[in-house]
Amino acid sequence: MSITSEPIAENAADTSGKRRRRKREQSLHTGEGRLAFLLLTPTLIMLTLIVGYPIVKAIYQSFLTDGGLDSSTGMFNDGGAWAGLTHYKHWILQQCATGGGGTSSCPAGTSGSQFWSSVGITLGFTVVTVVLETVIGMCFALMMHKAFRGRALVRVAVLIPWAIPTAVIAKLWIVIFDPQGVLNNVLGTDFAWTSESGPARAAIIIADVWKTTPFIALLILAGLQGISNEIYESAKVDGANAWQRFWRITLPLVKPALAVAVIFRSLDVLRMYDLPQILTGGANGTQTISILVVNELKSGINSASALSTITFILIFAIALLLVRLFNANIVERGTR
């Protein structure tokens, strides 16, 4: 009897010990969770106040009327009344208020008629500049990754445009594109490069690519430095040529860094304001969405809030699309 009861007692003691350890671990995890929550609470409160409050307030204001002359009554009012989706219809459907209280298509030249053209111009700038910057940035990164005498000097020289403020860059290119500027002196012409739609857009793209290509080159270079030389040596032994090593080794392994660069630059160009504003003032077919928002602030802050909300949704959707696109590729590569 005594022989059979001892193992039972030992098992009961082990079970009791496991239960105590489990309770101790649960209480420890619960304590750590509470401590983490307490430590994160100030940051969450600050983010809510700094980021969340302006967004919520802008969305709320976008549903209110602006102060000014009421076309239906002919009287001035302070605004602030509930307007529903009026501002959104004004921008998306390009519907402007009429004197009888109704709406009609916005006349050419008004801000409402310029929304979709500004969206197209902004998306055009984004696609062209990001593609050019990615291709040129890749070339610069591959060049800076090579070991040669004076490599440090080349890296510093390439990064100089990125370190210069955008306003200074814009003023510099104004001098270059001036009818009496450097470019016309070199070409022997006196053409006003920012006076027509096509050359003005090309001038903005050239200035933006010149300034921000080093940013992409720097991110790609960081990705290149994480690739082991042994992989390239093994590929050479297997007979892979330079193009095959780039296409099958360099590009797939540098894709995470490249994805970050493309996403950041796309979001940056979608919000572009200062460079076209200083170079052309948004004239001659160079008005971006951000310039339209700032111009609209002069006539109605609630209408501008609606435009800002639309811009926010557009940029968020494009960012989500790019993130999902690059994440899908990375996951597929990682599961092979």
Side-chain angles (χ1 to χ4, degrees):
M1 182 67 182
S2 61
I3 295 174
T4 56
S5 62
E6 286 180 357
I8 295 174
E10 290 177 357
N11 292 334
D14 291 342
T15 304
S16 178
K18 290 180 180 177
R19 288 176 180 174
R20 285 196 298 270
R21 284 196 298 272
R22 191 178 299 113
K23 288 182 179 179
R24 203 162 45 241
E25 291 175 355
Q26 289 176 350
S27 62
L28 181 61
H29 290 313
T30 304
E32 290 178 351
R34 289 176 180 174
L35 178 62
F37 179 75
L38 291 176
L39 293 175
L40 290 174
T41 298
T43 304
L44 294 176
I45 293 175
M46 291 298 295
L47 286 175
T48 302
L49 293 176
I50 296 174
V51 179
Y53 175 72
I55 294 176
V56 173
K57 185 176 182 181
I59 294 174
Y60 173 71
Q61 287 183 323
S62 67
F63 295 104
L64 303 179
T65 60
D66 285 312
L69 180 63
D70 190 337
S71 58
S72 60
T73 62
M75 304 292 289
F76 285 94
N77 62 59
D78 296 331
W82 184 255
L85 298 175
T86 302
H87 295 309
Y88 292 95
K89 293 178 180 176
H90 170 70
W91 293 114
I92 297 175
L93 302 180
Q94 298 185 330
Q95 295 291 318
C96 290
T98 60
T103 58
S104 63
S105 298
C106 294
T110 59
S111 59
S113 65
Q114 301 171 10
F115 171 71
W116 286 111
S117 61
S118 298
V119 171
I121 291 167
T122 304
L123 293 177
F125 280 151
T126 303
V127 173
V128 176
T129 56
V130 172
V131 169
L132 290 176
E133 290 167 7
T134 302
V135 174
I136 301 174
M138 176 64 79
C139 296
F140 281 174
L142 292 173
M143 180 184 66
M144 292 188 292
H145 188 55
K146 298 291 184 183
F148 58 90
R149 174 178 281 184
R151 184 175 65 173
L153 182 62
V154 172
R155 288 182 175 182
V156 173
V158 169
L159 293 176
I160 286 177
W162 184 52
I164 301 175
T166 305
V168 178
I169 294 291
K171 290 293 184 182
L172 171 67
W173 283 97
I174 286 177
V175 175
I176 294 175
F177 288 122
D178 189 82
Q180 306 300 323
V182 178
L183 184 59
N184 280 322
N185 288 332
V186 172
L187 299 177
T189 60
D190 57 353
F191 183 71
W193 293 91
T194 57
S195 62
E196 296 181 7
S197 175
R201 293 175 183 175
I204 293 172
I205 290 172
I206 291 171
D208 190 66
V209 169
W210 184 80
K211 172 178 169 47
T212 52
T213 295
F215 172 75
I216 289 186
L218 191 65
L219 291 180
I220 296 175
L221 179 62
L224 289 174
Q225 291 178 337
I227 302 175
S228 173
N229 287 329
E230 295 178 357
I231 300 176
Y232 291 107
E233 295 298 331
S234 300
K236 288 181 181 178
V237 171
D238 292 337
N241 56 33
W243 172 252
Q244 290 173 328
R245 294 197 297 273
F246 171 77
W247 188 254
R248 297 184 180 275
I249 297 176
T250 303
L251 201 56
L253 294 180
V254 84
K255 187 180 289 183
L258 190 62
V260 173
V262 170
I263 292 172
F264 271 76
R265 276 302 299 149
S266 298
L267 300 184
D268 200 22
V269 181
L270 287 170
R271 312 182 271 108
M272 186 165 58
Y273 170 78
D274 42 8
L275 187 59
Q277 176 64 27
I278 297 174
L279 264 176
T280 64
N284 301 319
T286 60
Q287 180 174 254
T288 61
I289 302 177
S290 297
I291 293 177
L292 185 62
V293 171
V294 175
N295 291 337
E296 184 61 21
L297 281 173
K298 301 171 185 175
S299 57
I301 188 171
N302 294 332
S303 177
S305 297
L307 183 56
S308 299
T309 303
I310 296 171
T311 306
F312 169 75
I313 294 173
L314 175 64
I315 294 176
F316 182 81
I318 293 175
L320 186 63
L321 177 66
L322 291 174
V323 169
R324 290 181 64 85
L325 176 66
F326 283 107
N327 276 347
N329 290 337
I330 293 170
V331 170
E332 286 175 3
R333 179 173 56 84
T335 54
R336 287 174 185 174

